[in-house]
Amino acid sequence: MSERRFRFGYVLAPKKVSSFIQDSLVNHAQEQGIDLIPIDLNKPLIEQGPFDCIFHKLYGPEWRKQLEEFSLQNPTTIIIDPIDAIEKLHNRISMLEVVNELKITQENETIGIPLQIFIQENSDSLLDHITRQGLDFPVIAKPLIANGTADSHQMYLVLKPEGLEELKPPIVLQEFVNHGGVIFKVYVAGEHVKCVKRRSLPDISEEKLGTLENLIAFSQISNLTAQDQNDDSFAALIENAEMPPLGFVTEVANQLRDALKLHLFNFDMIRDTRAGNRYLVIDINYFPGYAKMPSYETILTAFFLDIARRKQNNESG
């Protein structure tokens, strides 16, 4: 790339700034000719810049309006990502629908989503819905809206029909699938993909189901796991878990990126223990906590460089 420097403006919540815009990332990007510049929300966006790219995790009508005005006057500035595309991930039903449309070419691995249903207000009994749709206990109860607020993270493991009585619609009920206590978090930054293993909910056997409470908040799930295993055995469990094939993970990531029209996201994937080559996507998040990923500075800077090259190609015609 030429000696030219590139200006990347960013708008993130304060908590996200402190976790993502670390000195290590700023310095790494600077060495590659990319300057990360905070955008001042107290001034009109149109009065700031110039920017080669703006990346953001902000919603709301005021910011949308500012972004639209800026884009009209600066059509070559690359916006990461369009607000309309980001907002599709705020609904837990529409979020996963795209997974069923993927055309994965791998011979051995398949991708899908758990069986899930959306319960509106004023519906019949929740148990009737579950029975009709063929859902079995345990199920996971999640709010429909996934927008990063505290309420959107209120999730429950429902182990018996009696636990449904404590839930208030609107709500998404998703089948719980035993997956060996390990979740695969796949981070995507443009064409750069990184998969890491993390501890997850433990498998629940038929015998165990009879001994547990009716309903457990996710915040208390550690109580459920502590009964069986200590931290050392969890570490061994994760260490020994086989990673999904890289070619498969990359193909799923690339197809999701194109279908969602997003550059910065991650998806949580589990391996269904009933069929070891079947994987299920259970969640997709916009602009996740990249700093939790090993060497995140290298991967994000490589992504920024891709965008800078794209900008340069656009300018040269």
Side-chain angles (χ1 to χ4, degrees):
M1 197 144 23
S2 70
E3 291 303 300
R4 175 190 158 181
R5 298 198 69 78
F6 290 84
R7 291 168 54 87
F8 279 42
Y10 63 85
V11 178
L12 303 167
K15 196 174 165 188
K16 180 65 90 176
V17 170
S18 60
S19 68
F20 183 75
I21 307 289
Q22 296 183 20
D23 290 346
S24 54
L25 175 65
V26 172
N27 296 338
H28 200 76
Q30 272 180 345
E31 287 163 13
Q32 301 294 323
I34 291 167
D35 298 318
L36 301 181
I37 298 156
I39 289 169
D40 186 348
L41 284 176
N42 294 316
K43 292 184 195 162
L45 179 59
I46 208 88
E47 292 173 11
Q48 300 178 66
F51 299 116
D52 295 291
C53 169
I54 291 175
F55 63 92
H56 68 103
K57 189 176 185 180
L58 202 65
Y59 322 109
E62 176 54 32
W63 172 243
R64 180 192 286 267
K65 185 163 164 269
Q66 291 214 43
L67 213 46
E68 285 169 357
E69 283 176 2
F70 185 90
S71 294
L72 280 173
Q73 291 206 16
N74 303 272
T76 63
T77 299
I78 295 171
I79 308 294
I80 307 286
D81 275 306
I83 289 179
D84 286 345
I86 296 170
E87 285 182 340
K88 283 188 180 149
L89 295 189
H90 288 178
N91 177 304
R92 283 202 165 90
I93 293 291
S94 65
M95 170 201 292
L96 295 183
E97 280 173 348
V98 68
V99 177
N100 287 328
E101 294 161 22
L102 303 183
K103 302 281 186 283
I104 302 301
T105 60
Q106 306 292 316
E107 287 181 18
N108 297 321
E109 288 74 33
T110 62
I111 194 79
I113 62 174
L115 181 60
Q116 59 177 18
I117 56 173
F118 172 53
I119 310 289
Q120 284 274 23
E121 292 279 9
N122 308 323
S123 57
D124 309 338
S125 89
L126 297 185
L127 187 57
D128 288 348
H129 271 286
I130 284 182
T131 312
R132 247 195 330 266
Q133 299 291 339
L135 268 177
D136 284 324
F137 290 94
V139 296
I140 295 172
K142 306 178 174 183
L144 177 68
I145 303 304
N147 59 1
T149 59
D151 285 351
S152 71
H153 290 299
Q154 284 279 340
M155 301 191 207
Y156 297 91
L157 186 60
V158 189
L159 296 131
K160 298 168 193 165
E162 293 77 10
L164 296 171
E165 294 163 14
E166 299 175 50
L167 300 175
K168 291 187 175 60
I171 203 159
V172 175
L173 297 177
Q174 188 181 77
E175 73 172 321
F176 174 81
V177 176
N178 282 333
H179 53 279
V182 176
I183 194 166
F184 302 101
K185 287 192 161 295
V186 182
Y187 292 90
V188 182
E191 294 178 9
H192 304 272
V193 179
K194 178 87 174 172
C195 180
V196 298
K197 299 183 276 191
R198 293 279 185 266
R199 172 174 162 175
S200 182
L201 301 183
D203 288 353
I204 299 174
S205 63
E206 286 290 335
E207 300 78 44
K208 196 171 177 185
L209 199 53
T211 67
L212 295 166
E213 301 166 48
N214 298 333
L215 182 80
I216 306 176
F218 267 38
S219 57
Q220 297 167 322
I221 292 286
S222 54
N223 305 346
L224 176 70
T225 61
Q227 297 166 10
D228 320 311
Q229 292 176 296
N230 57 33
D231 285 344
D232 288 344
S233 58
F234 267 123
L237 177 82
I238 293 169
E239 181 68 32
N240 296 329
E242 185 187 345
M243 290 287 267
L246 183 59
F248 168 69
V249 171
T250 305
E251 187 176 7
V252 173
N254 289 341
Q255 289 197 26
L256 275 178
R257 185 190 65 236
D258 294 343
L260 295 168
K261 298 183 170 51
L262 294 172
H263 293 80
L264 295 172
F265 64 96
N266 80 343
F267 57 97
D268 292 343
M269 189 169 74
I270 57 175
R271 183 189 285 119
D272 187 343
T273 54
R274 296 169 298 190
N277 61 349
R278 176 162 174 75
Y279 292 86
L280 302 171
V281 175
I282 57 172
D283 208 3
I284 307 174
N285 304 288
Y286 185 66
F287 209 134
Y290 284 105
K292 295 173 188 163
M293 176 175 68
S295 310
Y296 95 103
E297 304 89 344
T298 315
I299 291 169
L300 267 297
T301 299
F303 164 65
F304 292 152
L305 281 170
D306 292 344
I307 297 298
R309 287 191 190 96
R310 193 168 111 200
K311 176 70 162 52
Q312 206 163 30
N313 291 340
N314 290 351
E315 288 171 347
S316 59

